[in-house]
Amino acid sequence: MRDAGRIAGAIEVLDAVMTRHQPVKDALRDWGKAHRFAGSGDRAWISGLVLDALRRRGALRHVMDEDTPRALVLGALAYAWDMDARAISTTFEGDEHAPAPLTEGEIEALSKGLDAEAPLHVRADVPEWLGPSFQRAYGDAAELEGQAMAGRAPVDLRVNRLKAEPEKAFGAVSPKIKNIEVSDLILDGLRIPETDPRAKAPGADSIPAFGKGWVEVQDIGSQLAALAAGDIKGAQVLDYCAGAGGKTLALSALMENTGQLYAWDYDGRRLRAIWPRLQRSGARNVQVRDGKEAETLGDLEGKLDCVFMDAPCSGSGTWRRRPDSKWRLKEEAFKRRQSEQDEVLSKAWRFVKPGGRLVYVTCSVLPEENEDRVAGFLKAHPEFRPVPASEAMAQSGRLAEGAQERLKALEGRFGAIQLTPHRTGTDGFYVCVMERTA
């Protein structure tokens, strides 16, 4: 396909996302089925443009003065892909599959630049109702934090030490993916930097080392959150709200297949993906349980060294990867998530024994889901005291040289750490560690 046809395809896909409320992946799949002539490179090009348009939707609709698929795609070409109005017009010329020619209004909008005096929510590319939350959380850095959340994300791998040491895994992966890097935060982390959005991203799950279980796809921020469990070799650990099992696998590797790790989720359907992942990883110390706590976890109450709780949340920390979810988030759902977080906190702590640790984690960058929830919990449970998250992570023995000092500088209220794309180059994760004293 020529670029003009690809741009038209991006407008079609974005229209399905915005008007039929389809997830981007589903909209791209349906478009591909209807356009069999489009190759994988064409679909990757279209996907990159659609995602960049959604990542910067707030700023683009402001500068284009329209919130339509066409306006957003044209805006992304100019302000994310650095094509000026003349280059876009030239691309459209002589191609019967091209969108309609640019109007005078569009040419003006594509040429005037982004508004540096626009409201914060526009400059930070967040929903308007979340502007005050971003301001509260990040103060003068709110715009930079939001802009980083609107960027593209790398692909991160976690070396699975149950099967391979970092050097061996890197040696196996690097010939397949030429630009892979070793993380400067975590010893077991490998990073494939973000690629040109026009190009097809490398398929990490297709490399032999992945199939052998030597590496798992997991954001560096998620890996750091798992390290907050500390030194858990030989311990009794519960992964509360385990879901697809990404943190379960990381915790099992930290435990080096010693002790006992319980992976629990209320909804057994969410645990379906964990079984093949456990088999591939070589984890042998994991019990998978699902259902009501009283029935499936009652025997563990007050007995566990560590309860790791990846709480339900808005998912705002993953907006780089799922930008459509940023604009679908509504205030009512946001408040409902906070109630759910309070509920799971009110239950999970019961499984921690005196001297044990409760690790509260969200993939959120918003204080209402993070420190506000912890503040309420600690007020209701004086038997828990905060522990500096950087110290807990260091106890795992898996931080890279100098990483503890960098992370300690990020500690805020309760010694918790807020990871963000701007601060740490990771997805957004909040990590708070609390120890039960009685």
Side-chain angles (χ1 to χ4, degrees), residues 3-4 7 11 49 64 70-71 73-79 81-94 98-103 106-107 109-111:
D3 286 353
I7 294 168
I11 294 172
L49 184 54
M64 299 298 293
R70 174 183 168 94
V73 166
L74 293 177
L77 287 169
Y79 296 107
W81 288 22
D82 297 323
M83 290 180 67
D84 59 28
R86 182 173 182 178
I88 296 171
S89 295
T90 301
T91 301
F92 287 4
E93 289 174 1
L102 297 183
T103 66
E106 288 171 339
I107 292 172
L110 295 171
S111 306

Side-chain angles (χ1 to χ4, degrees), residues 283-335:
R284 299 188 302 274
N285 66 336
V286 180
Q287 284 190 34
V288 181
R289 301 185 180 187
D290 67 271
K292 296 180 179 178
E293 290 99 320
E295 299 172 3
T296 58
L297 297 178
D299 60 318
L300 303 179
E301 190 164 324
K303 297 180 180 179
L304 300 178
D305 299 291
C306 179
V307 173
F308 189 96
M309 195 183 89
D310 194 352
C313 69
S314 64
S316 54
T318 64
W319 278 344
R320 295 185 302 172
R321 304 181 192 277
R322 302 179 183 89
D324 49 335
S325 68
K326 174 163 57 172
W327 309 107
R328 288 179 180 156
L329 181 63
K330 305 301 180 187
E331 289 187 75
E332 297 77 13
F334 186 51
K335 292 177 181 177

Side-chain angles (χ1 to χ4, degrees), residues 50-68:
V50 168
L51 291 172
D52 277 342
L54 287 168
R55 290 183 180 110
R56 305 189 182 201
R57 183 178 180 181
L60 294 179
R61 66 186 173 193
H62 180 80
V63 73
M64 299 298 293
D65 199 27
E66 275 191 272
D67 190 29
T68 64

Side-chain angles (χ1 to χ4, degrees), residues 74-394:
L74 293 177
L77 287 169
Y79 296 107
W81 288 22
D82 297 323
M83 290 180 67
D84 59 28
R86 182 173 182 178
I88 296 171
S89 295
T90 301
T91 301
F92 287 4
E93 289 174 1
D95 192 326
E96 61 180 326
H97 302 293
L102 297 183
T103 66
E104 290 186 8
E106 288 171 339
I107 292 172
E108 181 181 354
L110 295 171
S111 306
K112 66 183 179 182
L114 297 174
D115 184 1
E117 302 301 319
L120 173 64
H121 71 273
V122 172
R123 292 179 282 115
D125 257 308
V126 298
E128 183 174 1
W129 62 272
L130 278 177
S133 178
F134 250 70
Q135 182 71 60
R136 172 193 166 194
Y138 304 109
D140 292 341
E143 180 179 348
L144 293 175
E145 292 284 354
Q147 289 177 352
M149 291 294 298
R152 291 186 292 275
V155 175
D156 293 335
L157 304 177
R158 177 182 58 79
V159 176
N160 175 25
R161 293 204 190 195
L162 297 178
K163 288 196 169 182
E165 290 299 311
E167 296 80 6
K168 182 179 179 180
F170 181 80
V173 174
S174 55
K176 305 294 182 181
I177 302 176
K178 301 298 184 183
N179 59 342
I180 196 163
E181 303 170 351
V182 177
S183 170
D184 60 353
L185 287 172
I186 189 168
L187 295 176
D188 298 341
L190 303 177
R191 167 157 290 180
I192 306 169
E194 57 269 28
T195 58
D196 186 328
R198 302 163 181 80
K200 187 177 180 181
D205 56 356
S206 65
I207 59 178
F210 178 87
K212 293 176 180 179
W214 293 5
V215 294
E216 278 284 338
V217 177
Q218 186 177 20
D219 180 78
I220 297 293
S222 180
Q223 296 182 46
L224 285 167
L227 297 193
D231 182 1
I232 49 176
K233 290 186 289 293
Q236 298 289 304
V237 180
L238 170 62
D239 185 1
Y240 192 90
C241 303
K247 306 273 193 330
T248 300
L249 298 180
L251 293 169
S252 180
L254 286 175
M255 298 171 75
E256 299 178 2
N257 262 337
T258 63
Q260 187 66 62
L261 174 58
Y262 303 90
W264 174 86
D265 206 292
Y266 180 83
D267 188 348
R269 292 172 297 182
R270 297 187 67 220
L271 289 163
R272 286 176 183 169
I274 201 172
W275 296 106
R277 299 180 79 182
L278 286 172
Q279 184 176 9
R280 188 175 65 247
S281 74
R284 299 188 302 274
N285 66 336
V286 180
Q287 284 190 34
V288 181
R289 301 185 180 187
D290 67 271
K292 296 180 179 178
E293 290 99 320
E295 299 172 3
T296 58
L297 297 178
D299 60 318
L300 303 179
E301 190 164 324
K303 297 180 180 179
L304 300 178
D305 299 291
C306 179
V307 173
F308 189 96
M309 195 183 89
D310 194 352
C313 69
S314 64
S316 54
T318 64
W319 278 344
R320 295 185 302 172
R321 304 181 192 277
R322 302 179 183 89
D324 49 335
S325 68
K326 174 163 57 172
W327 309 107
R328 288 179 180 156
L329 181 63
K330 305 301 180 187
E331 289 187 75
E332 297 77 13
F334 186 51
K335 292 177 181 177
R336 189 163 56 248
R337 282 287 181 262
Q338 295 165 43
S339 297
E340 293 170 355
Q341 290 159 352
D342 290 339
E343 181 181 0
V344 293
L345 272 168
S346 73
K347 296 176 179 179
W349 73 269
R350 302 175 188 276
F351 303 103
V352 183
K353 72 180 185 182
R357 178 174 289 177
L358 175 64
V359 183
Y360 177 76
V361 174
T362 72
C363 54
S364 173
V365 295
L366 304 170
E368 292 84 354
E369 297 184 294
N370 298 332
E371 65 180 63
D372 288 359
R373 308 277 59 82
V374 171
F377 173 80
L378 289 174
K379 183 177 181 180
H381 295 277
E383 69 273 30
F384 280 85
R385 68 176 184 89
V387 175
S390 66
E391 292 182 15
M393 293 175 182

Side-chain angles (χ1 to χ4, degrees), residues 1 3-18 27-28 31 42-43 45-51 53 69-70 72-74 76-77 81 99:
M1 295 178 64
D3 286 353
R6 290 169 164 178
I7 294 168
I11 294 172
E12 288 182 45
V13 171
L14 192 53
D15 181 67
V17 172
M18 293 174 62
L28 286 165
W31 185 90
D42 297 319
R43 295 193 299 273
W45 200 99
I46 291 168
S47 173
L49 184 54
V50 168
L51 291 172
R70 174 183 168 94
L72 296 178
V73 166
L74 293 177
L77 287 169
W81 288 22

